[in-house]
Amino acid sequence: MHNLYSIASSVLSPASRYAQGISNLFWITFWISMVILAFVSAFVIFNLVRFRDRGEGGLPPQTEGNTIVEITWTAIPLAILTVLFVLTMQTMEAVQPPKHAAADPVHVDVVAHQWWWEFRYPGSNVVTANEMHIPVGKTIRISLTSDDVIHDFWVPELGRKEDAVPGHPNTMVIEANKPGVYLGTCAEYCGAGHAWMRIRVYAQTEADYQNWLASQAQPHPQPKTALEAQGKALFVGFTCSSCHDLAGSGAPKSQNVGPDLTHLADRETLGAGVLPNTPTALRKWLADPPAIKPGVHMPNLRLTSGQLDALVAYLEEK
Ligand code: CUA
């Protein structure tokens, strides 16, 4: 497995036409600013040297008002800001979702929660959390909302930012032009767990994506060992199933307070990025979630060592 935390996430390495547009705007703004900085610095240095105090005493000539100079220093910034304004408007238009959704874009419903992301794939019963899979080269149309406070969905290499507002779905588009893992984050302060509200987008070939979707639509496997069976009984009978859905467990629909755990075993991370998904890390997480992710809504359930082993075995079963 590659190092989970070694992937960089940068607006300067765009992997979609939307991110490319934003990156282009950044560089144009950057170079215009550099020219201004160079000009102003040179002008200041020139004047410091040319008009320095040469020990001749007295005041330099006092002048007041110069129409030509005043018009010039108003007109130049106005022209620069007009250019930047027009370029910004064009970029905003270019990163907007198309007015008419093309026939083939993939739709994903994204629901932000304190502090994790829910990804629902309409047309299938696939629901996952924090790790989103998409096919490369396709426009992904995201319907974005929130379950509690305002969050902000941002995967810099794939598109722009967009707020997730409770009761007010926003639409945005992302796209990946090459396969890979793209990191994203919540970009609006939303409470104690804001820093650990990471997004991982897996851009896959169409065939890999379809395989993933088909496998995710399957329920969790039935227990194969006594320990796994014990874990399942604990999941259903204890408090887990009131907050988490897990297809195949037989538990009724939960309150959906926490991530769907049907295919937890297929994910690379736990707690929206706070830990790598290994049996050891999952055991550590279940033993005391708030110690690992301060603010998390999942309490320390004071599970015994045996209960931890059973739950880990069941949840990580493939
Ligand atoms: Cu969610 Cu910040």
Side-chain angles (χ1 to χ4, degrees):
M1 191 167 70
H2 54 267
N3 186 338
L4 282 178
Y5 303 103
S6 67
I7 317 167
S9 172
S10 169
V11 283
L12 303 181
S13 49
S16 80
R17 56 197 157 127
Y18 306 112
Q20 186 69 55
I22 294 168
S23 178
N24 292 348
L25 179 65
F26 168 80
W27 284 115
I28 292 168
T29 311
F30 177 81
W31 286 117
I32 290 177
S33 306
M34 283 301 107
V35 170
I36 296 169
L37 179 69
F39 175 78
V40 172
S41 303
F43 200 64
V44 167
I45 291 165
F46 170 80
N47 283 294
L48 283 175
V49 174
R50 172 77 181 73
F51 299 106
R52 68 187 185 281
D53 183 358
R54 293 186 171 84
E56 290 153 3
L59 280 173
Q62 301 296 298
T63 57
E64 194 180 307
N66 182 319
T67 311
I68 305 275
V69 171
E70 283 166 16
I71 288 174
T72 309
W73 73 41
T74 305
I76 293 175
L78 184 67
I80 294 168
L81 289 176
T82 305
V83 168
L84 290 178
F85 175 75
V86 170
L87 290 173
T88 303
M89 295 300 282
Q90 283 175 344
T91 306
M92 285 170 72
E93 186 61 30
V95 301
Q96 283 284 10
K99 290 274 184 299
H100 305 286
D104 67 347
V106 177
H107 289 243
V108 183
D109 293 336
V110 177
V111 187
H113 298 256
Q114 282 178 320
W115 288 276
W116 57 283
W117 299 92
E118 179 181 352
F119 301 121
R120 311 189 82 95
Y121 290 72
S124 73
N125 57 353
V126 174
V127 184
T128 186
N130 305 317
E131 299 183 7
M132 178 184 189
H133 289 239
I134 62 170
V136 286
K138 289 240 173 98
T139 301
I140 316 298
R141 205 176 174 89
I142 290 176
S143 173
L144 184 64
T145 184
S146 168
D147 192 41
D148 35 54
V149 300
I150 298 176
H151 303 265
D152 191 292
F153 184 94
W154 191 33
V155 184
E157 280 142 359
L158 305 185
R160 67 167 198 197
K161 292 178 180 178
E162 183 68 69
D163 274 359
V165 182
H168 177 87
N170 281 330
T171 305
M172 69 180 294
V173 279
I174 59 168
E175 196 175 287
N177 55 23
K178 54 180 189 292
V181 187
Y182 300 95
L183 285 191
T185 191
C186 178
E188 175 88 34
Y189 182 71
C190 53
H194 164 72
W196 283 116
M197 201 168 158
R198 302 293 173 86
I199 304 159
R200 298 171 73 83
V201 179
Y202 295 79
Q204 300 173 295
T205 62
E206 180 66 28
D208 286 350
Y209 169 72
Q210 290 301 340
N211 283 340
W212 176 81
L213 205 60
S215 76
Q216 296 293 302
Q218 298 299 315
H220 188 82
Q222 288 308 310
K224 290 185 274 293
T225 67
L227 194 62
E228 289 166 8
Q230 195 194 332
K232 180 182 173 181
L234 200 57
F235 178 86
V236 176
F238 197 48
T239 189
C240 319
S241 59
S242 48
C243 295
H244 297 278
D245 284 330
L246 198 163
S249 69
K253 276 273 171 208
S254 75
Q255 306 282 327
N256 201 30
V257 175
D260 186 299
L261 299 179
T262 309
H263 292 287
L264 177 72
D266 293 338
R267 295 184 207 143
E268 277 197 303
T269 60
L270 300 171
V274 74
L275 285 175
N277 184 10
T278 62
T280 317
L282 180 60
R283 199 176 190 286
K284 198 170 131 195
W285 169 261
L286 290 172
D288 191 359
I292 293 162
K293 183 167 170 175
V296 68
H297 290 333
M298 180 163 162
N300 179 343
L301 295 162
R302 315 219 172 270
L303 296 160
T304 65
S305 183
Q307 288 173 323
L308 288 170
D309 290 339
L311 275 174
V312 170
Y314 178 57
L315 293 172
E316 296 284 9
E317 184 193 1
K318 290 219 188 195

